[in-house]
Amino acid sequence: MSDPVQDGIPCLWMRGGTSKGAYFLAADLPTDPAARDALLLRIMGSPDPNQIDGIGGGDPLTSKVAVLSPASRADADVDYLFLQVFVDEARVSGAQACGNILAGVGPAAIEYGLVPAQDGITPVRIHMLNTGEVARAQICTPDGKVSYSGSATIDGVPGTAAPVALMFQGIEGSVCGALLPSGRVLDVIDGIDCTLIDNGMPCILLRAGDLGLTGQESREVLDADSALKARLESIRLQAGPLMNLGDVAAKSVPKITLVSAPVQGGVIGTRSFIPHRCHASIGVFAAVTVATACTLPGSTAFALACLPADNRFAIEHPGGAAEVLLEQDATGRVTGAGSLRTARKLMSGRVFA
């Protein structure tokens, strides 16, 4: 491996969905996880709230990493490890997947030569190492080259880009081992009703109204409410063992999502914490998990939700709405989920630690 200080490391800096991150080949990073994480902290500029001495943007949404490698299983084309590099802590976590950064994995895998491009659309089967499932992505590749230009739009990202269709199966209980890891659709923690659920992302769903909120508060207002955040963290710490996650004080999961009645014509309103700062939108897997909760009678989301007739769930968030497509069997059980994202290559070159 070359010297990351003097020679740098090959890197693709990409927007995936409503996040930004550095996409690396595993072969270009240290094999020892501790050495790898220390390198990534230097690259991103953590710990520092501004990440001024690195390429991170001072926000959890812009301090993410995708590590790509040849597929380790026959039903996949590429392996993908997601790592969350904390902004103001010297910590890197692989405890969760990231569906937004996932949107850039297909294009990056083609750019790096891990997957050969087809003419038109290239399907890419992505083995998500964090959770073990395989996601299916469709990448626009006219003339055998990745195209980032198109007419698709997603809330939280200005302009248009080529669509990236993502489909997931087998994500129920991906981290916690069960869709409802406590065995109940409703738990009560600190006197507050909670739905503890994992359909791709471990989430704790609370009604905003139970906390004296409307659910329409801005990200800035919620981030400035220290009493609210202390209350949410108390609930999160107690929920950890109930969700088979143990002590979660130093973990990035579970996430807390406040749910409320929709006001923009969607299915439900959300304010998501990741886990200590309010998300500018909502993560892909968190949106899938919230949509799933909307279908479960007795959950904190069910009575608030305006269920759609076509299984297209618009999950409202501070930046607009994220669309989730759910597949359900005859009993109403969610068996698969999809999402439309976009991605864009921002920089290709070498990054220095």
Side-chain angles (χ1 to χ4, degrees):
M1 180 179 166
S2 62
D3 183 346
V5 176
Q6 297 298 326
D7 304 324
I9 301 169
C11 175
L12 281 172
W13 183 245
M14 298 184 69
R15 175 184 63 78
T18 55
S19 295
K20 285 194 292 188
Y23 291 68
F24 296 101
L25 290 175
D28 292 327
L29 296 174
T31 56
D32 174 63
R36 177 202 65 201
D37 292 352
L39 175 63
L40 295 178
L41 287 166
R42 295 199 301 274
I43 287 172
M44 286 296 179
S46 299
D48 171 48
N50 296 315
Q51 292 182 316
I52 198 68
D53 197 36
I55 64 174
D59 188 287
L61 300 182
T62 60
S63 188
K64 299 184 174 187
V65 167
V67 182
L68 310 185
S69 53
S72 59
R73 49 193 283 182
D75 60 347
D77 301 306
V78 62
D79 281 358
Y80 154 54
L81 175 67
F82 170 72
L83 296 171
Q84 178 70 61
V85 181
F86 283 63
V87 174
D88 49 7
E89 299 178 49
R91 185 146 51 100
V92 177
S93 174
Q96 66 188 71
C98 179
N100 276 303
I101 292 299
L102 174 67
V105 170
I110 296 171
E111 296 266 12
Y112 274 129
L114 292 173
V115 176
Q118 301 178 17
D119 185 8
I121 298 292
T122 299
V124 182
R125 300 168 301 171
I126 303 166
H127 176 206
M128 299 181 289
L129 293 175
N130 302 79
T131 58
E133 290 82 24
V134 174
R136 292 172 285 141
Q138 291 189 320
I139 310 303
C140 295
T141 51
D143 301 320
K145 295 182 179 180
V146 177
S147 174
Y148 298 97
S149 300
S151 58
T153 63
I154 58 173
D155 287 339
V157 177
T160 65
V164 177
L166 299 171
M167 288 300 297
F168 316 104
Q169 288 183 320
I171 57 174
E172 179 178 304
S174 61
V175 178
C176 300
L179 179 69
L180 299 171
S182 73
R184 298 174 290 273
V185 74
L186 196 71
D187 287 273
V188 179
I189 302 176
D190 286 350
I192 300 294
D193 287 348
C194 307
T195 292
L196 313 181
I197 183 169
D198 170 18
N199 199 23
M201 178 63 69
C203 289
I204 306 163
L205 306 188
L206 316 177
R207 301 183 198 96
D210 290 348
L211 295 164
L213 302 169
T214 67
Q216 300 305 312
E217 288 81 4
S218 70
R219 183 190 191 196
E220 292 75 19
V221 166
L222 294 173
D223 275 342
D225 192 336
S226 57
L228 169 68
K229 292 171 75 173
R231 193 175 184 188
L232 295 181
E233 182 64 1
S234 173
I235 291 172
R236 197 179 79 89
L237 293 177
Q238 294 175 70
L242 296 175
M243 300 181 75
N244 302 319
L245 297 172
D247 182 358
V248 298
K251 295 180 181 178
S252 57
V253 289
K255 314 292 190 188
I256 285 187
T257 298
L258 309 182
V259 293
S260 58
V263 297
Q264 303 168 23
V267 171
I268 198 164
T270 65
R271 295 294 185 268
S272 186
F273 290 80
I274 53 172
H276 304 124
R277 294 176 66 175
C278 185
H279 203 305
S281 54
I282 187 171
V284 172
F285 290 116
V288 168
T289 297
V290 171
T292 303
C294 290
T295 71
L296 298 178
S299 76
T300 52
F302 183 78
L304 296 169
C306 295
L307 295 177
D310 60 359
N311 274 9
R312 293 183 179 273
F313 288 66
I315 308 301
E316 297 180 2
H317 56 70
E323 185 176 280
V324 173
L325 175 65
L326 293 185
E327 297 174 344
Q328 295 174 273
D329 63 18
T331 69
R333 175 177 170 270
V334 174
T335 57
S339 179
L340 180 69
R341 298 277 87 188
T342 64
R344 189 164 79 87
K345 180 172 63 173
L346 303 175
M347 185 281 296
S348 176
R350 304 182 78 86
V351 66
F352 295 82

